[in-house]
Amino acid sequence: MNDSKSLHSRIAKTVRDIPRSGIRDFFEIVSSREGVISLGIGEPDFVTPWHIREAAVLALDRGVTSYTSNMGLLSLRRGISKYIEKKTGVVYNPKDEVLVTVGVSEGLDIAIRALIDPGDEVLYHEPGYVSYNPIIQFSYGKPVVIQTKKENGFRLTRAELEEKVTPKTKVLLLNYPNNPTGAALSKEGVEEIAAFAIEHDLIVLTDEIYDELTYDREHFSIISVPGMRERTIYLHGFSKAWAMTGFRMGFTCAPPELTEAMMKIHQYTMLCAPVLSQEASIEALKNADADIAYMKGEYKKRRNFIYSSFEEMGIPCIRPDGAFYAFANISRFGMTAKEFALKLLDAENVACVPGTAFGKCGEGFIRCSYATSLAEIKEAMIRIARFIKTL
Ligand SMILES: Cc1ncc(COP(=O)(O)O)c(C=O)c1O
């Protein structure tokens, strides 16, 4: 009982069998080195705008330190409802259709847990966010993965969905704009997927955490398609566009029955999201349009630079529509994505994430985050160009 081997054997099999995130392992190597330029982190390099931080400071000063309603402060839920209506035209009742969560991470977890009985199948697409597969497995669901194709710019198609759907499919999990590819869907692309979901009577979870960060077209949410609001859990949060990762704030919008089911899990496991973060988020929704526009403008400059630099180097890159990632095709160098990333780190102190951290079809790609300063990105591109000359 005392030795670690016997303790290991007592850990639940589902947990034991799930590997640690590939990103985490890679960044343990990175953190042991000095002078690394990191294109690895999926986190804004901007500090949260001051007026948002100040709202938290002032709330603390007023002695706002208690629990809130399980669902979150009603004033925040009202703000969220207005914000979503403005963006999508879809109205959610702040009283029973909006739930404030601890990041989109918690929203994803409680959405899956609320829906999945053991063995239910969840369809999702890769390359994809590293949490999806484990979260489904923690709920004893069966992840059914669609490997999207580089030829389609990693955009999911109805034909790919039709191939994988079975009578056990219960949920379709979507993430556009996508981490790690930066791909976004056109309105027609979204409508095609919506038609599929309706025809097969699926519940859709849509992780739209990057929706503010689209550069060449307006984001179109699947909840705007007639017939989808009724069958969708919409997930969003403040981490990315508002640069508020450390506040751990997210929310779900969904019909009352689904919200109530998620609320039950949230109530017993989380109680509520942190009150100071909720206060800050009220301010974020009221007064941060200019901050978002500024940060988005900076990301766009970086996106343009990183994309054209890769192209000039002869490294094909899917032109990112959104989020803050470039997914660059390094397959011509005759090594795996992991080998490439490790060698680049070793030779030039530039860290990027091997595409395989996001699924099998990420082989041959590296993910470079441009949520880092343009000066650093410029230096990283010089180093990568120098590195590939040696190959
Ligand atoms: C696609 C996607 N969903 C969810 C999350 C988690 O975000 P949060 O900070 O809101 O938990 C991330 C974070 O990188 C992400 O990329």
Side-chain angles (χ1 to χ4, degrees):
M1 175 65 187
N2 278 339
D3 64 85
S4 60
K5 197 166 171 208
S6 74
L7 282 183
H8 182 75
S9 68
R10 281 155 201 251
I11 291 166
K13 190 173 177 314
T14 321
V15 178
R16 246 190 293 146
D17 290 351
I18 293 175
R20 290 170 13 142
S21 158
I23 299 189
R24 185 173 148 179
D25 282 348
F26 193 70
F27 279 91
E28 268 167 27
I29 305 173
V30 173
S31 63
S32 65
R33 298 174 65 99
E34 296 212 340
V36 176
I37 297 183
S38 180
L39 304 181
I41 309 290
E43 169 160 24
D45 56 318
F46 299 102
V47 176
T48 310
W50 167 243
H51 62 102
I52 299 177
R53 284 181 278 150
E54 190 182 36
V57 172
L58 293 177
L60 188 58
D61 194 48
R62 291 198 311 275
V64 176
T65 56
S66 53
Y67 294 135
T68 68
S69 134
N70 293 136
M71 298 278 282
L73 295 168
L74 185 57
S75 50
L76 173 57
R77 285 184 276 141
R78 284 203 183 106
I80 291 168
S81 171
K82 261 198 212 144
Y83 169 73
I84 298 302
E85 182 178 359
K86 198 167 148 205
K87 285 159 68 73
T88 66
V90 180
V91 182
Y92 287 98
N93 185 341
K95 296 220 166 80
D96 59 4
E97 295 189 310
V98 178
L99 173 64
V100 178
T101 58
V102 180
V104 172
S105 301
E106 193 217 352
L108 279 163
D109 182 35
I110 60 176
I112 294 282
R113 280 204 268 168
L115 292 167
I116 295 303
D117 283 317
D120 285 343
E121 294 182 3
V122 180
L123 271 177
Y124 76 98
H125 51 100
E126 284 184 347
Y129 181 50
V130 292
S131 294
Y132 296 152
N133 192 302
I135 284 180
I136 297 164
Q137 293 197 61
F138 289 143
S139 291
Y140 308 103
K142 182 174 171 206
V144 178
V145 187
I146 294 163
Q147 304 290 335
T148 57
K149 297 190 182 57
K150 61 174 187 280
E151 299 75 35
N152 299 332
F154 296 112
R155 292 182 192 92
L156 184 62
T157 65
R158 178 161 184 166
E160 289 165 334
L161 286 161
E162 295 287 1
E163 254 175 51
K164 295 277 180 163
V165 70
T166 78
K168 286 192 176 165
T169 310
K170 192 169 194 182
V171 169
L172 167 62
L173 169 54
L174 298 171
N175 170 228
Y176 289 102
N178 178 258
N179 174 8
T181 63
L185 296 179
S186 63
K187 182 169 182 278
E188 295 68 37
V190 172
E191 284 168 345
E192 190 179 293
I193 293 170
F196 165 85
I198 291 171
E199 199 170 299
H200 292 275
D201 196 17
L202 305 180
I203 301 281
V204 170
L205 306 188
T206 182
D207 175 351
E208 301 191 19
I209 191 168
Y210 294 103
D211 76 342
E212 289 284 355
L213 303 176
T214 48
Y215 305 111
D216 302 319
R217 58 175 130 191
E218 279 287 299
H219 175 73
F220 180 75
S221 173
I222 199 161
I223 56 173
S224 309
V225 180
M228 287 310 295
R229 182 199 187 286
E230 298 82 336
R231 59 174 66 248
T232 302
I233 298 179
Y234 174 91
L235 301 150
H236 200 342
F238 294 85
S239 286
K240 311 292 176 174
W242 289 267
M244 289 175 64
T245 47
F247 285 82
R248 308 305 305 123
M249 284 298 295
F251 54 89
T252 64
C253 299
E257 297 86 338
L258 298 179
T259 302
E260 175 63 17
M262 292 187 286
M263 205 283 288
K264 251 198 245 172
I265 306 170
H266 173 78
Q267 173 178 68
Y268 287 128
T269 55
M270 207 59 71
L271 249 168
C272 65
V275 65
L276 295 177
S277 299
Q278 294 194 49
E279 292 282 350
S281 301
I282 292 171
E283 170 64 20
L285 287 175
K286 271 193 198 145
N287 294 316
D289 289 359
D291 302 292
I292 292 180
Y294 169 73
M295 290 188 272
K296 182 172 161 177
E298 292 301 302
Y299 292 134
K300 187 171 179 178
K301 279 186 224 159
R302 300 170 187 181
R303 190 273 314 247
N304 293 346
F305 178 79
I306 206 165
Y307 172 71
S308 55
S309 301
F310 275 129
E311 291 286 308
E312 277 163 29
M313 279 181 228
I315 296 183
C317 180
I318 310 283
R319 185 178 162 85
D321 297 312
F324 35 55
Y325 308 105
F327 210 53
N329 185 339
I330 48 83
S331 57
R332 79 178 165 91
F333 299 105
M335 54 182 117
T336 66
K338 191 166 179 191
E339 280 163 359
F340 185 95
L342 286 172
K343 284 194 174 148
L344 173 63
L345 180 64
D346 198 39
E348 291 286 356
N349 255 355
V350 174
C352 55
V353 185
T356 38
F358 309 97
K360 254 198 333 233
C361 55
E363 187 54 281
F365 288 82
I366 51 168
R367 187 193 78 172
C368 296
S369 161
Y370 46 92
T372 190
S373 73
L374 194 54
E376 291 226 296
I377 293 171
K378 284 185 174 165
E379 175 58 24
M381 291 296 127
I382 291 170
R383 294 186 190 186
I384 293 175
R386 195 161 59 206
F387 171 66
I388 62 168
K389 283 201 184 113
T390 66
L391 300 177

